[in-house]
Amino acid sequence: MFTLISSIAFTNIIYLLLGKLIVSKKNNDIRSISEGAIVGFIYLSLLALLVNFFSPLNPLVNSIILFSIIIIFLIKKKNLNSKEITFMITITFFGFFLILFDTVYRPDAGLYHLPFTRILNEEKIIFGLFNLHGRFGHISILQYSSALNNNIFFGDIGILIPLLSIYCFLTFYFLGDILNFIFNKKDIDFNYTSIYFSSLVLLYISYKINRYSEFGNDAIGHLLFFYLISKLINTNNFNYKNFSEVYLICIFTILNKVTLIFSALLPAYIFFSNKISFKKTIFSIPTLFLILWIIRNIITSGCIIYPQINTCFTDLTWSDKNKIIRESRLAEAWSKDWPNRINKGISMENYNKKFNWLSTWSKNHFNKFKNILIPYLVILLLIILYLRINLKKKKLYNLSGLKLLFLISVIGSIIFFLKFPIYRYGYSYLITSIILISIFIMRSYDPNKIKNLCFFAIIIFFISYVYKQTSRINEYSETRSYIPKVYNEKKRYDQISLGGDYYYNISLNTLCMYDLNLCTIYKKNKFSLKKKYNYKFFIND
């Protein structure tokens, strides 16, 4: 267990050190320390993406990168103060108990998260990689973060930690926002809209985002969207620096979950309404991040946004128009509950049109929406009633800018429902819309009651955390490994030769996991691998 704890601690410290090198903040509260670590995580993910264009993210390369950060930190004569050290210890053990005796996200981790991470650890960027497995075309930046954390000291245990770390930092950002308010000893005029928003987000985290095995690529994207909304609520004046922060968070959110692309409307509005410098924006880190990701997408799939055919370059040698169209229809149909369709004779294309999917979806997927949202709505309604009844110290919420946030959340919710109505694909749009509606309904608040709401949110958060983790540990401590498994217990593979030294592996266990490089669950016919300019090309012949 010491290896797991030390791996978590080392990873968290690296993110914080890099964050402190990039952003200099005087505040030492939980929220600001969390923000520094989040910035470090984002920049290290960008570095992993950049490096993989030229080299595999193997343990030696990764170790050089990570220790370079420590060396630069020492050269700059930076240090960690007592509050940051205490925070690192707290968040390390918080993450440790969160991951202990848990599993990776099923089945997606074994299907394409872990296999893609393995490819990153052993290969530099591959042209047409989506031809090996369609899901390699729409991967998350999180897989790059994970691959970079495989180092010479902790090995493949490291690939599990970045997902855990960024979850903890984002969660403690909202927790810190609340704690700053509760334990404030100075006469500060707090942003009560932010405090209220953070309380309701923390309640949702307590309720629905509290198990490592359920995070996948989705949870972090949604937490980042909540974080983006919070940043906007807390920002009054948008100079270039503030705009750049929002822009970076927005890009990173989309790179985690492309369905959250409507968050891009936020920096776009700020850019035009505040007349932000076009030149500075073009030559900025967020724009570089976006450009690198677009190039990566084109190289791996032939598309800017895979599998949206109108963003694809179908004349590229590694592109495949028919496959892209098929994958696009398949992805939409499955999100609309295609396997349970009533009319078995309907084509996938027609099923997706004219709400032909709605009757099937309403009998299955809609139940998950109800089961999750109704309890949360009931709690929110009780909170609203409590805050509104006998309102004594009446103060108005700051509603400036919230209408834009609400509009974008509603637009995202509508498109989410029409195109990809699986709950985990777009719930941050829905939850944000619901929270903002409650603010519009109340319009005013009593500071003392807001403080009671904060205490309630914190108590529920810790009760939920303790209950979830102790229940899992008690149930699985004798049957599971204390570290989530990244390998198949019984490896069954065929190696498919592509001529010469070229090959790929096909799993006979239906999941590739982290077992072998270049793994898929599909056998490819008329498929070749070529090498040009020292880069590999997967091409459908």
Side-chain angles (χ1 to χ4, degrees):
M1 288 191 183
F2 175 77
T3 303
L4 179 59
I5 294 175
S6 55
S7 180
I8 296 171
F10 178 80
T11 304
N12 289 344
I13 290 172
I14 288 292
Y15 294 140
L16 182 59
L17 296 186
L18 183 56
K20 284 175 70 68
L21 286 171
I22 296 167
V23 180
S24 178
K25 288 193 174 183
K26 296 180 180 180
N27 294 329
N28 284 315
D29 55 73
I30 291 175
R31 191 178 83 167
S32 62
I33 297 172
S34 297
E35 284 197 272
I38 292 168
V39 170
F41 186 96
I42 293 174
Y43 273 80
L44 202 53
S45 301
L46 169 60
L47 184 58
L49 174 63
L50 177 62
V51 169
N52 190 241
F53 278 88
F54 310 101
S55 168
L57 295 171
N58 60 53
L60 178 59
V61 170
N62 297 342
S63 299
I64 292 172
I65 292 172
L66 298 179
F67 276 93
S68 295
I69 294 171
I70 297 175
I71 292 169
I72 294 171
F73 188 83
L74 294 175
I75 291 173
K76 293 284 186 179
K77 296 181 179 180
K78 299 277 188 175
N79 58 70
L80 297 179
N81 58 46
S82 59
K83 289 184 178 179
E84 290 169 332
I85 293 172
T86 301
F87 176 79
M88 284 291 103
I89 294 172
T90 301
I91 208 165
T92 293
F93 281 97
F94 179 87
F96 171 71
F97 287 110
L98 191 70
I99 197 174
L100 195 63
F101 297 110
D102 211 338
T103 65
V104 294
Y105 183 68
R106 300 175 179 175
D108 289 5
L111 194 62
Y112 70 103
H113 299 173
L114 291 171
F116 188 82
T117 302
R118 180 68 181 246
I119 290 171
L120 293 176
N121 285 147
E122 300 200 17
E123 307 279 349
K124 61 184 175 182
I125 195 167
I126 297 175
F127 288 73
L129 185 60
F130 88 111
N131 287 309
L132 181 65
H133 193 310
R135 293 201 181 188
F136 291 162
H138 49 78
I139 208 74
S140 165
I141 188 65
L142 273 176
Q143 273 65 69
Y144 286 83
S145 312
S146 296
L148 186 64
N149 214 44
N150 184 347
N151 55 65
I152 60 176
F153 293 99
F154 305 113
D156 51 30
I157 291 177
I159 67 175
L160 297 166
I161 310 305
L163 173 64
L164 179 70
S165 295
I166 189 62
Y167 167 81
C168 293
F169 293 136
L170 287 165
T171 299
F172 271 69
Y173 166 84
F174 293 107
L175 178 62
D177 193 30
I178 298 169
L179 291 175
N180 286 349
F181 170 61
I182 290 177
F183 296 107
N184 169 55
K185 295 180 180 180
K186 299 178 182 179
D187 187 17
I188 298 175
D189 186 17
F190 278 93
N191 185 334
Y192 284 90
T193 306
S194 174
I195 303 302
Y196 178 79
F197 182 80
S198 292
S199 297
L200 294 187
V201 168
L202 190 66
L203 283 172
Y204 186 80
I205 291 172
S206 308
Y207 168 54
K208 197 56 191 170
I209 317 177
N210 54 15
R211 292 181 62 185
Y212 179 85
S213 60
E214 294 182 350
F215 293 166
N217 284 341
D218 304 305
I220 303 307
H222 295 303
L223 286 173
L224 284 164
F225 184 79
F226 293 141
Y227 174 51
L228 176 62
I229 297 297
S230 177
K231 290 289 289 185
L232 288 159
I233 290 174
N234 280 284
T235 305
N236 295 321
N237 299 314
F238 282 100
N239 52 27
Y240 175 75
K241 181 182 178 182
N242 291 335
F243 163 76
S244 183
E245 289 181 2
V246 169
Y247 184 23
L248 179 64
I249 297 166
C250 172
I251 295 301
F252 194 65
T253 300
I254 295 170
L255 268 53
N256 273 276
K257 195 70 183 171
V258 73
T259 54
L260 299 173
I261 194 169
F262 295 102
S263 61
L265 294 173
L266 294 169
Y269 175 82
I270 296 168
F271 175 83
F272 289 108
S273 61
N274 291 270
K275 298 180 180 179
I276 303 296
S277 169
F278 178 78
K279 184 177 180 180
K280 285 185 177 181
T281 302
I282 289 296
F283 296 100
S284 67
I285 293 296
T287 300
L288 172 63
F289 210 161
L290 179 61
I291 291 173
L292 285 177
W293 191 255
I294 289 173
I295 294 172
R296 187 220 78 95
N297 287 349
I298 293 172
I299 288 175
T300 57
S301 70
C303 303
I304 296 174
I305 302 175
Y306 176 85
Q308 298 301 312
I309 189 63
N310 56 338
T311 71
C312 300
F313 302 92
T314 55
D315 56 342
L316 296 172
T317 57
W318 61 88
S319 186
D320 187 332
K321 181 178 180 179
N322 292 331
K323 180 178 180 178
I324 293 167
I325 293 174
R326 184 170 63 252
E327 287 288 335
S328 178
R329 290 174 180 169
L330 182 64
E332 183 177 349
W334 273 75
S335 70
K336 294 175 176 177
D337 203 23
W338 165 260
N340 294 313
R341 65 195 181 280
I342 299 170
N343 180 5
K344 298 297 183 181
I346 192 171
S347 68
M348 195 175 290
E349 182 179 7
N350 288 329
Y351 178 79
N352 290 334
K353 294 179 179 178
K354 299 179 180 179
F355 293 99
N356 291 326
W357 51 273
L358 188 58
S359 59
T360 301
W361 177 88
S362 62
K363 294 178 181 178
N364 298 287
H365 284 348
F366 181 59
N367 290 329
K368 185 165 187 177
F369 279 70
K370 291 190 299 183
N371 293 339
I372 295 174
L373 287 178
I374 289 178
Y376 186 73
L377 288 171
V378 169
I379 292 173
L380 182 56
L381 179 60
L382 293 175
I383 289 172
I384 292 173
L385 290 174
Y386 167 73
L387 294 177
R388 290 295 298 166
I389 293 174
N390 296 324
L391 193 61
K392 296 177 180 178
K393 297 181 180 180
K394 186 175 181 180
K395 295 185 178 182
L396 295 176
Y397 278 105
N398 181 7
L399 302 180
S400 61
L402 293 189
K403 291 181 180 179
L404 172 65
L405 302 182
F406 177 69
L407 177 62
I408 291 173
S409 298
V410 169
I411 291 173
S413 298
I414 292 172
I415 302 300
F416 155 56
F417 172 74
L418 294 176
K419 295 295 291 183
F420 42 90
I422 288 183
Y423 185 80
R424 65 185 178 90
Y425 281 5
Y427 63 75
S428 56
Y429 288 136
L430 290 173
I431 299 301
T432 300
S433 300
I434 291 168
I435 294 175
L436 293 178
I437 287 173
S438 71
I439 294 175
F440 295 143
I441 290 173
M442 292 188 296
R443 299 189 67 84
S444 58
Y445 62 89
D446 181 333
N448 291 328
K449 288 192 173 185
I450 293 294
K451 183 166 287 191
N452 290 337
L453 171 62
C454 291
F455 279 115
F456 174 72
I458 290 174
I459 291 170
I460 294 298
F461 172 70
F462 281 108
I463 289 176
S464 172
Y465 171 80
V466 172
Y467 173 74
K468 285 283 187 178
Q469 312 326 315
T470 54
S471 296
R472 184 190 64 256
I473 292 170
N474 289 334
E475 183 175 359
Y476 296 108
S477 60
E478 295 183 0
T479 58
R480 285 182 182 171
S481 167
Y482 70 92
I483 301 174
K485 292 183 178 180
V486 296
Y487 296 99
N488 276 313
E489 293 183 352
K490 296 180 180 179
K491 298 181 182 180
R492 295 178 58 233
Y493 295 91
D494 278 343
Q495 188 176 92
I496 310 298
S497 175
L498 296 172
D501 296 330
Y502 300 143
Y503 66 92
Y504 69 91
N505 294 293
I506 182 168
S507 172
L508 305 179
N509 294 73
T510 71
L511 293 176
C512 286
M513 300 294 287
Y514 190 72
D515 296 342
L516 295 171
N517 186 31
L518 300 176
C519 180
T520 183
I521 61 173
Y522 305 109
K523 188 168 184 177
K524 305 292 180 178
N525 297 316
K526 298 181 179 180
F527 182 70
S528 64
L529 192 157
K530 299 178 181 178
K531 202 164 188 178
K532 191 175 182 181
Y533 306 118
N534 207 29
Y535 284 89
K536 291 181 178 179
F537 289 73
F538 277 108
I539 299 172
N540 280 325
D541 296 328

